[in-house]
PDB file of all heavy atoms in Angstrom:
ATOM      1  N   TRP A   3     -18.837-178.704  25.734  1.00 82.00           N
ATOM      2  CA  TRP A   3     -17.625-177.900  25.802  1.00 82.00           C
ATOM      3  C   TRP A   3     -16.618-178.310  24.745  1.00 82.00           C
ATOM      4  O   TRP A   3     -15.848-177.475  24.264  1.00 82.00           O
ATOM      5  CB  TRP A   3     -17.031-177.959  27.206  1.00 82.00           C
ATOM      6  CG  TRP A   3     -17.918-177.271  28.181  1.00 82.00           C
ATOM      7  CD1 TRP A   3     -18.643-177.841  29.189  1.00 82.00           C
ATOM      8  CD2 TRP A   3     -18.234-175.876  28.212  1.00 82.00           C
ATOM      9  NE1 TRP A   3     -19.379-176.883  29.854  1.00 82.00           N
ATOM     10  CE2 TRP A   3     -19.147-175.668  29.269  1.00 82.00           C
ATOM     11  CE3 TRP A   3     -17.824-174.782  27.450  1.00 82.00           C
ATOM     12  CZ2 TRP A   3     -19.658-174.420  29.583  1.00 82.00           C
ATOM     13  CZ3 TRP A   3     -18.330-173.534  27.754  1.00 82.00           C
ATOM     14  CH2 TRP A   3     -19.237-173.353  28.808  1.00 82.00           C
ATOM     15  N   LEU A   4     -16.613-179.569  24.356  1.00 88.00           N
ATOM     16  CA  LEU A   4     -15.794-179.990  23.225  1.00 88.00           C
ATOM     17  C   LEU A   4     -16.258-179.277  21.966  1.00 88.00           C
ATOM     18  O   LEU A   4     -15.456-178.739  21.196  1.00 88.00           O
ATOM     19  CB  LEU A   4     -15.864-181.505  23.045  1.00 88.00           C
ATOM     20  CG  LEU A   4     -15.158-182.064  21.805  1.00 88.00           C
ATOM     21  CD1 LEU A   4     -13.668-181.783  21.856  1.00 88.00           C
ATOM     22  CD2 LEU A   4     -15.416-183.565  21.671  1.00 88.00           C
ATOM     23  N   ALA A   5     -17.569-179.244  21.753  1.00 91.00           N
ATOM     24  CA  ALA A   5     -18.123-178.571  20.575  1.00 91.00           C
ATOM     25  C   ALA A   5     -17.828-177.076  20.603  1.00 91.00           C
ATOM     26  O   ALA A   5     -17.482-176.473  19.575  1.00 91.00           O
ATOM     27  CB  ALA A   5     -19.631-178.811  20.496  1.00 91.00           C
ATOM     28  N   ALA A   6     -17.939-176.466  21.778  1.00 91.00           N
ATOM     29  CA  ALA A   6     -17.681-175.028  21.894  1.00 91.00           C
ATOM     30  C   ALA A   6     -16.236-174.701  21.552  1.00 91.00           C
ATOM     31  O   ALA A   6     -15.957-173.729  20.834  1.00 91.00           O
ATOM     32  CB  ALA A   6     -18.020-174.559  23.303  1.00 91.00           C
ATOM     33  N   GLN A   7     -15.309-175.499  22.047  1.00 92.00           N
ATOM     34  CA  GLN A   7     -13.901-175.253  21.741  1.00 92.00           C
ATOM     35  C   GLN A   7     -13.622-175.468  20.264  1.00 92.00           C
ATOM     36  O   GLN A   7     -12.909-174.679  19.630  1.00 92.00           O
ATOM     37  CB  GLN A   7     -13.021-176.159  22.591  1.00 92.00           C
ATOM     38  CG  GLN A   7     -13.016-175.788  24.065  1.00 92.00           C
ATOM     39  CD  GLN A   7     -12.091-176.659  24.871  1.00 92.00           C
ATOM     40  OE1 GLN A   7     -10.999-176.997  24.430  1.00 92.00           O
ATOM     41  NE2 GLN A   7     -12.508-177.042  26.059  1.00 92.00           N
ATOM     42  N   HIS A   8     -14.184-176.540  19.716  1.00 94.00           N
ATOM     43  CA  HIS A   8     -13.962-176.804  18.289  1.00 94.00           C
ATOM     44  C   HIS A   8     -14.536-175.689  17.430  1.00 94.00           C
ATOM     45  O   HIS A   8     -13.896-175.229  16.466  1.00 94.00           O
ATOM     46  CB  HIS A   8     -14.586-178.134  17.887  1.00 94.00           C
ATOM     47  CG  HIS A   8     -14.626-178.329  16.403  1.00 94.00           C
ATOM     48  ND1 HIS A   8     -15.778-178.232  15.674  1.00 94.00           N
ATOM     49  CD2 HIS A   8     -13.620-178.556  15.507  1.00 94.00           C
ATOM     50  CE1 HIS A   8     -15.514-178.414  14.396  1.00 94.00           C
ATOM     51  NE2 HIS A   8     -14.225-178.609  14.264  1.00 94.00           N
ATOM     52  N   ASN A   9     -15.724-175.231  17.754  1.00 95.00           N
ATOM     53  CA  ASN A   9     -16.349-174.169  16.961  1.00 95.00           C
ATOM     54  C   ASN A   9     -15.511-172.901  16.993  1.00 95.00           C
ATOM     55  O   ASN A   9     -15.388-172.191  15.979  1.00 95.00           O
ATOM     56  CB  ASN A   9     -17.754-173.886  17.474  1.00 95.00           C
ATOM     57  CG  ASN A   9     -18.723-175.019  17.203  1.00 95.00           C
ATOM     58  OD1 ASN A   9     -18.463-175.861  16.337  1.00 95.00           O
ATOM     59  ND2 ASN A   9     -19.810-175.070  17.939  1.00 95.00           N
ATOM     60  N   LEU A  10     -14.944-172.582  18.148  1.00 94.00           N
ATOM     61  CA  LEU A  10     -14.093-171.404  18.277  1.00 94.00           C
ATOM     62  C   LEU A  10     -12.866-171.523  17.375  1.00 94.00           C
ATOM     63  O   LEU A  10     -12.504-170.565  16.667  1.00 94.00           O
ATOM     64  CB  LEU A  10     -13.670-171.237  19.736  1.00 94.00           C
ATOM     65  CG  LEU A  10     -12.707-170.093  20.049  1.00 94.00           C
ATOM     66  CD1 LEU A  10     -13.308-168.753  19.666  1.00 94.00           C
ATOM     67  CD2 LEU A  10     -12.328-170.115  21.525  1.00 94.00           C
ATOM     68  N   ILE A  11     -12.232-172.676  17.377  1.00 95.00           N
ATOM     69  CA  ILE A  11     -11.060-172.900  16.535  1.00 95.00           C
ATOM     70  C   ILE A  11     -11.439-172.858  15.059  1.00 95.00           C
ATOM     71  O   ILE A  11     -10.750-172.251  14.230  1.00 95.00           O
ATOM     72  CB  ILE A  11     -10.411-174.260  16.872  1.00 95.00           C
ATOM     73  CG1 ILE A  11      -9.930-174.291  18.331  1.00 95.00           C
ATOM     74  CG2 ILE A  11      -9.259-174.565  15.925  1.00 95.00           C
ATOM     75  CD1 ILE A  11      -8.842-173.319  18.654  1.00 95.00           C
ATOM     76  N   ALA A  12     -12.554-173.500  14.717  1.00 95.00           N
ATOM     77  CA  ALA A  12     -12.987-173.570  13.323  1.00 95.00           C
ATOM     78  C   ALA A  12     -13.357-172.190  12.778  1.00 95.00           C
ATOM     79  O   ALA A  12     -13.090-171.874  11.610  1.00 95.00           O
ATOM     80  CB  ALA A  12     -14.167-174.531  13.189  1.00 95.00           C
ATOM     81  N   GLU A  13     -13.994-171.353  13.606  1.00 96.00           N
ATOM     82  CA  GLU A  13     -14.368-170.005  13.175  1.00 96.00           C
ATOM     83  C   GLU A  13     -13.148-169.191  12.759  1.00 96.00           C
ATOM     84  O   GLU A  13     -13.209-168.390  11.832  1.00 96.00           O
ATOM     85  CB  GLU A  13     -15.092-169.284  14.317  1.00 96.00           C
ATOM     86  CG  GLU A  13     -16.504-169.780  14.569  1.00 96.00           C
ATOM     87  CD  GLU A  13     -17.077-169.220  15.863  1.00 96.00           C
ATOM     88  OE1 GLU A  13     -16.403-168.354  16.491  1.00 96.00           O
ATOM     89  OE2 GLU A  13     -18.171-169.656  16.258  1.00 96.00           O
ATOM     90  N   LYS A  14     -12.042-169.413  13.465  1.00 95.00           N
ATOM     91  CA  LYS A  14     -10.809-168.679  13.169  1.00 95.00           C
ATOM     92  C   LYS A  14      -9.982-169.353  12.076  1.00 95.00           C
ATOM     93  O   LYS A  14      -8.947-168.838  11.670  1.00 95.00           O
ATOM     94  CB  LYS A  14      -9.956-168.565  14.445  1.00 95.00           C
ATOM     95  CG  LYS A  14     -10.620-167.796  15.581  1.00 95.00           C
ATOM     96  CD  LYS A  14     -10.747-166.323  15.242  1.00 95.00           C
ATOM     97  CE  LYS A  14     -11.283-165.540  16.426  1.00 95.00           C
ATOM     98  NZ  LYS A  14     -11.414-164.089  16.098  1.00 95.00           N
ATOM     99  N   LYS A  15     -10.425-170.558  11.648  1.00 95.00           N
ATOM    100  CA  LYS A  15      -9.697-171.338  10.651  1.00 95.00           C
ATOM    101  C   LYS A  15      -8.268-171.660  11.120  1.00 95.00           C
ATOM    102  O   LYS A  15      -7.315-171.646  10.344  1.00 95.00           O
ATOM    103  CB  LYS A  15      -9.683-170.622   9.298  1.00 95.00           C
ATOM    104  CG  LYS A  15     -11.065-170.495   8.666  1.00 95.00           C
ATOM    105  CD  LYS A  15     -11.000-169.836   7.314  1.00 95.00           C
ATOM    106  CE  LYS A  15     -12.339-169.951   6.576  1.00 95.00           C
ATOM    107  NZ  LYS A  15     -13.451-169.345   7.313  1.00 95.00           N
TER     108      LYS A  15
END
Side-chain angles (χ1 to χ4, degrees):
W3 292 112
L4 174 62
Q7 290 183 40
H8 169 254
N9 291 341
L10 177 60
I11 298 296
E13 287 169 6
K14 298 291 186 180
K15 294 182 169 59

